[in-house]
Amino acid sequence: MSGLRERLGRLRSESVSQQSQPPASLEEEKIADATDQEGESFAVPKAFRSIGVAQKETEFGSFLLRKIEYSFPYRHGTHELADLHGCSPFLQPIAFRQNKKDEVIAPEHLLFLDTETTGLGVGTGNVPFMIGFGYITETAFVVEQTLIRHPGEEKAMLSYLLGHMKNKSHLVTYNGRTFDWPVLTNRFILNGWRKSGADPGHIDFLHPSRALWRTTLPSCRLSTVEVERLGIQRGEDVPGSLAPALYFQYLSDGNPDHLHGVYTHNEKDILTLASLCVHFGLLLSGRNDAEIIEASESEELFRTASWLEQHGEAILAERLFDRLGEREVIGEGGWSLALAARFKRSGQYARALPLWKKASEYAEAATAPKLDAHVELAMYFEHRDKRLDMALHYAEKALELALRRARLISDAKKRREEKEALQRRVARLREKISRASERKS
């Protein structure tokens, strides 16, 4: 990290030197004594100005600022961003679970945040060279992106961010609670600010995304989620992992073209955060449950229902559980056994029984069969239905499956204990059937 600081310091000195005697290739692109729409002076290369970047002056110095307004109606993927006005209040259960505070979520008090940094860690040597944030107004969704040309501009950039945070209650991020915000907190401290109040609330969509999609998507990276679940197609995109290298290229030769893709990537990330906000708001409001039931595969539908139940939406969750129990195909996921266990805990054996039977049929055809459904059926028929012949049938079938899959279990102790437990169950049931037969005779 010390090497990084030395490099940034050296590049800062070079930047100062270049400002006094700019290279001829860049001199032609400079604008002197010009003003932007707010009457502030700027002198930035044409390649920056072509994408709407201007110089921003503050009491702590200058930095580069890009501002884009998406007037409503504006759709990012499947969601209309104007729906943030109606959907944001429904995010309260997410905010409560993450912050342990019961607060009203107002759309105008949300700040959508994403940073591009010089590294991947959260230590003091990791510098956020670009801070992108978005917010909603009555008529538009606004994205602002700040950029520092050398370390001396960092305090001005951070001051500008703090100004936008003053009337905001929650930061909306994707892994921002454990990355973006800790990085920014370190930079605030290093630039002379000390904590004077409570941290902002967080609505970090990485956690609900993992809860819903970790077993049904290739990954829960934001780029995957937006394509698979939000209908967003970016086309060519600069991966966030390349942003540090591109920034260092810019620092080395002063060519703004290196950062065009970084600006676009960061901008799209912020728009996707807004789209996720609408998506989860609609989910918690119940306004799109019919669409979810129709489109979701069973594993995801179970996870969605469980997530809704955890967030206090029991009625919505029960509706999804009911529809899930009606599905004919079990598949490889463990949702059927989990749903059956839920019904069992509430004493709804009539709803659990068909799920166990479907799961047992699937297990018998599987290469690596699970025994859970057969064991549950053996217990059900022994203790509740009192049909010992059926209990024995499922116990014997479970033992058969255990012997078949034994070669797949490397733990010899677990393999032995599993087999012995089933052998005892089979022996007990045979003994009970024998005694019952003797009493009849």
Side-chain angles (χ1 to χ4, degrees), residues 239-263:
S241 59
L242 290 183
L246 292 169
Y247 180 61
F248 285 127
Q249 279 187 278
Y250 161 71
L251 292 180
S252 295
D253 61 21
N255 185 355
D257 289 339
H258 299 312
L259 296 179
H260 283 198
V262 179
Y263 270 108

mmCIF file of all heavy atoms in Angstrom, residues 239-263:
data_model
loop_
_atom_site.group_PDB
_atom_site.id
_atom_site.type_symbol
_atom_site.label_atom_id
_atom_site.label_comp_id
_atom_site.label_asym_id
_atom_site.label_seq_id
_atom_site.Cartn_x
_atom_site.Cartn_y
_atom_site.Cartn_z
ATOM 1 N N PRO A 239 -15.303 -4.396 -17.210
ATOM 2 C CA PRO A 239 -15.486 -5.004 -15.885
ATOM 3 C C PRO A 239 -14.924 -4.094 -14.798
ATOM 4 O O PRO A 239 -13.900 -3.418 -14.989
ATOM 5 C CB PRO A 239 -14.682 -6.312 -15.981
ATOM 6 C CG PRO A 239 -14.520 -6.575 -17.436
ATOM 7 C CD PRO A 239 -14.474 -5.226 -18.099
ATOM 8 N N GLY A 240 -15.584 -4.096 -13.658
ATOM 9 C CA GLY A 240 -15.109 -3.272 -12.557
ATOM 10 C C GLY A 240 -13.700 -3.614 -12.131
ATOM 11 O O GLY A 240 -12.955 -2.755 -11.637
ATOM 12 N N SER A 241 -13.294 -4.862 -12.338
ATOM 13 C CA SER A 241 -11.948 -5.292 -11.942
ATOM 14 C C SER A 241 -10.859 -4.601 -12.752
ATOM 15 O O SER A 241 -9.702 -4.519 -12.312
ATOM 16 C CB SER A 241 -11.821 -6.812 -12.095
ATOM 17 O OG SER A 241 -12.073 -7.197 -13.439
ATOM 18 N N LEU A 242 -11.205 -4.095 -13.936
ATOM 19 C CA LEU A 242 -10.221 -3.399 -14.768
ATOM 20 C C LEU A 242 -10.142 -1.906 -14.469
ATOM 21 O O LEU A 242 -9.243 -1.224 -14.968
ATOM 22 C CB LEU A 242 -10.557 -3.592 -16.251
ATOM 23 C CG LEU A 242 -10.365 -4.994 -16.838
ATOM 24 C CD1 LEU A 242 -10.685 -4.976 -18.328
ATOM 25 C CD2 LEU A 242 -8.936 -5.489 -16.613
ATOM 26 N N ALA A 243 -11.080 -1.391 -13.695
ATOM 27 C CA ALA A 243 -11.123 0.054 -13.439
ATOM 28 C C ALA A 243 -9.824 0.590 -12.839
ATOM 29 O O ALA A 243 -9.337 1.647 -13.278
ATOM 30 C CB ALA A 243 -12.315 0.390 -12.544
ATOM 31 N N PRO A 244 -9.211 -0.066 -11.847
ATOM 32 C CA PRO A 244 -7.956 0.477 -11.292
ATOM 33 C C PRO A 244 -6.863 0.613 -12.347
ATOM 34 O O PRO A 244 -6.174 1.637 -12.414
ATOM 35 C CB PRO A 244 -7.583 -0.540 -10.214
ATOM 36 C CG PRO A 244 -8.860 -1.192 -9.831
ATOM 37 C CD PRO A 244 -9.657 -1.258 -11.092
ATOM 38 N N ALA A 245 -6.682 -0.423 -13.185
ATOM 39 C CA ALA A 245 -5.633 -0.373 -14.206
ATOM 40 C C ALA A 245 -5.891 0.751 -15.201
ATOM 41 O O ALA A 245 -4.961 1.456 -15.627
ATOM 42 C CB ALA A 245 -5.550 -1.715 -14.930
ATOM 43 N N LEU A 246 -7.155 0.947 -15.580
ATOM 44 C CA LEU A 246 -7.490 2.010 -16.525
ATOM 45 C C LEU A 246 -7.254 3.387 -15.908
ATOM 46 O O LEU A 246 -6.822 4.329 -16.597
ATOM 47 C CB LEU A 246 -8.944 1.865 -16.979
ATOM 48 C CG LEU A 246 -9.223 0.634 -17.850
ATOM 49 C CD1 LEU A 246 -10.726 0.445 -18.025
ATOM 50 C CD2 LEU A 246 -8.536 0.778 -19.204
ATOM 51 N N TYR A 247 -7.516 3.494 -14.605
ATOM 52 C CA TYR A 247 -7.269 4.769 -13.930
ATOM 53 C C TYR A 247 -5.770 5.077 -13.894
ATOM 54 O O TYR A 247 -5.357 6.214 -14.142
ATOM 55 C CB TYR A 247 -7.836 4.721 -12.515
ATOM 56 C CG TYR A 247 -7.633 5.989 -11.723
ATOM 57 C CD1 TYR A 247 -8.171 7.197 -12.151
ATOM 58 C CD2 TYR A 247 -6.895 5.977 -10.542
ATOM 59 C CE1 TYR A 247 -7.992 8.367 -11.428
ATOM 60 C CE2 TYR A 247 -6.716 7.138 -9.799
ATOM 61 C CZ TYR A 247 -7.258 8.334 -10.254
ATOM 62 O OH TYR A 247 -7.075 9.483 -9.526
ATOM 63 N N PHE A 248 -4.963 4.064 -13.613
ATOM 64 C CA PHE A 248 -3.531 4.289 -13.576
ATOM 65 C C PHE A 248 -2.983 4.629 -14.971
ATOM 66 O O PHE A 248 -2.037 5.410 -15.101
ATOM 67 C CB PHE A 248 -2.801 3.073 -13.002
ATOM 68 C CG PHE A 248 -2.952 2.952 -11.510
ATOM 69 C CD1 PHE A 248 -3.402 1.779 -10.941
ATOM 70 C CD2 PHE A 248 -2.644 4.014 -10.679
ATOM 71 C CE1 PHE A 248 -3.549 1.663 -9.570
ATOM 72 C CE2 PHE A 248 -2.783 3.920 -9.307
ATOM 73 C CZ PHE A 248 -3.240 2.734 -8.747
ATOM 74 N N GLN A 249 -3.596 4.056 -16.010
ATOM 75 C CA GLN A 249 -3.218 4.447 -17.366
ATOM 76 C C GLN A 249 -3.510 5.924 -17.597
ATOM 77 O O GLN A 249 -2.705 6.651 -18.181
ATOM 78 C CB GLN A 249 -3.969 3.604 -18.393
ATOM 79 C CG GLN A 249 -3.373 2.231 -18.651
ATOM 80 C CD GLN A 249 -4.073 1.544 -19.811
ATOM 81 O OE1 GLN A 249 -5.128 0.956 -19.650
ATOM 82 N NE2 GLN A 249 -3.477 1.640 -20.980
ATOM 83 N N TYR A 250 -4.685 6.352 -17.136
ATOM 84 C CA TYR A 250 -5.047 7.764 -17.276
ATOM 85 C C TYR A 250 -4.063 8.655 -16.517
ATOM 86 O O TYR A 250 -3.620 9.691 -17.030
ATOM 87 C CB TYR A 250 -6.471 7.992 -16.762
ATOM 88 C CG TYR A 250 -6.773 9.428 -16.432
ATOM 89 C CD1 TYR A 250 -6.904 10.391 -17.436
ATOM 90 C CD2 TYR A 250 -6.898 9.831 -15.097
ATOM 91 C CE1 TYR A 250 -7.160 11.715 -17.120
ATOM 92 C CE2 TYR A 250 -7.153 11.156 -14.786
ATOM 93 C CZ TYR A 250 -7.281 12.095 -15.789
ATOM 94 O OH TYR A 250 -7.527 13.402 -15.480
ATOM 95 N N LEU A 251 -3.689 8.262 -15.306
ATOM 96 C CA LEU A 251 -2.743 9.054 -14.536
ATOM 97 C C LEU A 251 -1.382 9.114 -15.218
ATOM 98 O O LEU A 251 -0.662 10.104 -15.103
ATOM 99 C CB LEU A 251 -2.587 8.465 -13.128
ATOM 100 C CG LEU A 251 -3.790 8.567 -12.188
ATOM 101 C CD1 LEU A 251 -3.450 7.934 -10.840
ATOM 102 C CD2 LEU A 251 -4.231 10.003 -11.989
ATOM 103 N N SER A 252 -1.027 8.049 -15.923
ATOM 104 C CA SER A 252 0.285 7.987 -16.557
ATOM 105 C C SER A 252 0.381 8.878 -17.788
ATOM 106 O O SER A 252 1.375 9.564 -17.994
ATOM 107 C CB SER A 252 0.613 6.548 -16.955
ATOM 108 O OG SER A 252 0.734 5.733 -15.808
ATOM 109 N N ASP A 253 -0.670 8.864 -18.631
ATOM 110 C CA ASP A 253 -0.552 9.609 -19.885
ATOM 111 C C ASP A 253 -1.569 10.740 -20.048
ATOM 112 O O ASP A 253 -1.553 11.454 -21.046
ATOM 113 C CB ASP A 253 -0.634 8.656 -21.085
ATOM 114 C CG ASP A 253 -1.970 7.904 -21.164
ATOM 115 O OD1 ASP A 253 -2.966 8.376 -20.578
ATOM 116 O OD2 ASP A 253 -2.020 6.842 -21.810
ATOM 117 N N GLY A 254 -2.486 10.883 -19.084
ATOM 118 C CA GLY A 254 -3.441 11.987 -19.140
ATOM 119 C C GLY A 254 -4.531 11.835 -20.183
ATOM 120 O O GLY A 254 -5.247 12.805 -20.469
ATOM 121 N N ASN A 255 -4.673 10.655 -20.751
ATOM 122 C CA ASN A 255 -5.664 10.442 -21.809
ATOM 123 C C ASN A 255 -7.013 10.051 -21.198
ATOM 124 O O ASN A 255 -7.160 8.946 -20.669
ATOM 125 C CB ASN A 255 -5.183 9.349 -22.763
ATOM 126 C CG ASN A 255 -6.113 9.175 -23.952
ATOM 127 O OD1 ASN A 255 -7.171 9.797 -24.041
ATOM 128 N ND2 ASN A 255 -5.707 8.328 -24.886
ATOM 129 N N PRO A 256 -8.032 10.896 -21.266
ATOM 130 C CA PRO A 256 -9.340 10.598 -20.666
ATOM 131 C C PRO A 256 -10.056 9.423 -21.313
ATOM 132 O O PRO A 256 -10.962 8.844 -20.713
ATOM 133 C CB PRO A 256 -10.141 11.889 -20.880
ATOM 134 C CG PRO A 256 -9.116 12.946 -21.112
ATOM 135 C CD PRO A 256 -7.987 12.259 -21.829
ATOM 136 N N ASP A 257 -9.655 9.054 -22.546
ATOM 137 C CA ASP A 257 -10.343 7.956 -23.231
ATOM 138 C C ASP A 257 -10.306 6.666 -22.419
ATOM 139 O O ASP A 257 -11.207 5.835 -22.517
ATOM 140 C CB ASP A 257 -9.716 7.709 -24.606
ATOM 141 C CG ASP A 257 -10.039 8.824 -25.599
ATOM 142 O OD1 ASP A 257 -11.029 9.545 -25.363
ATOM 143 O OD2 ASP A 257 -9.297 8.973 -26.574
ATOM 144 N N HIS A 258 -9.252 6.487 -21.630
ATOM 145 C CA HIS A 258 -9.145 5.269 -20.820
ATOM 146 C C HIS A 258 -10.329 5.124 -19.862
ATOM 147 O O HIS A 258 -10.687 4.001 -19.480
ATOM 148 C CB HIS A 258 -7.849 5.281 -19.996
ATOM 149 C CG HIS A 258 -6.609 5.342 -20.815
ATOM 150 N ND1 HIS A 258 -6.377 4.529 -21.901
ATOM 151 C CD2 HIS A 258 -5.495 6.134 -20.702
ATOM 152 C CE1 HIS A 258 -5.194 4.800 -22.419
ATOM 153 N NE2 HIS A 258 -4.647 5.779 -21.712
ATOM 154 N N LEU A 259 -10.915 6.243 -19.461
ATOM 155 C CA LEU A 259 -11.934 6.212 -18.406
ATOM 156 C C LEU A 259 -13.366 6.242 -18.932
ATOM 157 O O LEU A 259 -14.300 6.158 -18.139
ATOM 158 C CB LEU A 259 -11.724 7.396 -17.453
ATOM 159 C CG LEU A 259 -10.402 7.379 -16.676
ATOM 160 C CD1 LEU A 259 -10.297 8.607 -15.793
ATOM 161 C CD2 LEU A 259 -10.288 6.115 -15.836
ATOM 162 N N HIS A 260 -13.545 6.351 -20.237
ATOM 163 C CA HIS A 260 -14.915 6.397 -20.764
ATOM 164 C C HIS A 260 -15.703 5.155 -20.367
ATOM 165 O O HIS A 260 -16.866 5.242 -19.940
ATOM 166 C CB HIS A 260 -14.884 6.546 -22.285
ATOM 167 C CG HIS A 260 -14.580 7.937 -22.735
ATOM 168 N ND1 HIS A 260 -14.855 8.387 -23.999
ATOM 169 C CD2 HIS A 260 -14.028 8.993 -22.077
ATOM 170 C CE1 HIS A 260 -14.486 9.665 -24.115
ATOM 171 N NE2 HIS A 260 -13.966 10.042 -22.960
ATOM 172 N N GLY A 261 -15.085 3.977 -20.518
ATOM 173 C CA GLY A 261 -15.775 2.744 -20.150
ATOM 174 C C GLY A 261 -16.026 2.636 -18.662
ATOM 175 O O GLY A 261 -17.033 2.060 -18.235
ATOM 176 N N VAL A 262 -15.126 3.191 -17.859
ATOM 177 C CA VAL A 262 -15.308 3.168 -16.401
ATOM 178 C C VAL A 262 -16.503 4.029 -16.012
ATOM 179 O O VAL A 262 -17.319 3.645 -15.156
ATOM 180 C CB VAL A 262 -14.032 3.653 -15.683
ATOM 181 C CG1 VAL A 262 -14.229 3.645 -14.170
ATOM 182 C CG2 VAL A 262 -12.834 2.780 -16.071
ATOM 183 N N TYR A 263 -16.606 5.210 -16.634
ATOM 184 C CA TYR A 263 -17.775 6.058 -16.385
ATOM 185 C C TYR A 263 -19.069 5.323 -16.717
ATOM 186 O O TYR A 263 -20.037 5.337 -15.939
ATOM 187 C CB TYR A 263 -17.690 7.335 -17.241
ATOM 188 C CG TYR A 263 -16.978 8.490 -16.602
ATOM 189 C CD1 TYR A 263 -15.716 8.874 -17.041
ATOM 190 C CD2 TYR A 263 -17.572 9.214 -15.569
ATOM 191 C CE1 TYR A 263 -15.052 9.956 -16.470
ATOM 192 C CE2 TYR A 263 -16.918 10.297 -14.988
ATOM 193 C CZ TYR A 263 -15.660 10.665 -15.438
ATOM 194 O OH TYR A 263 -15.014 11.729 -14.861
#
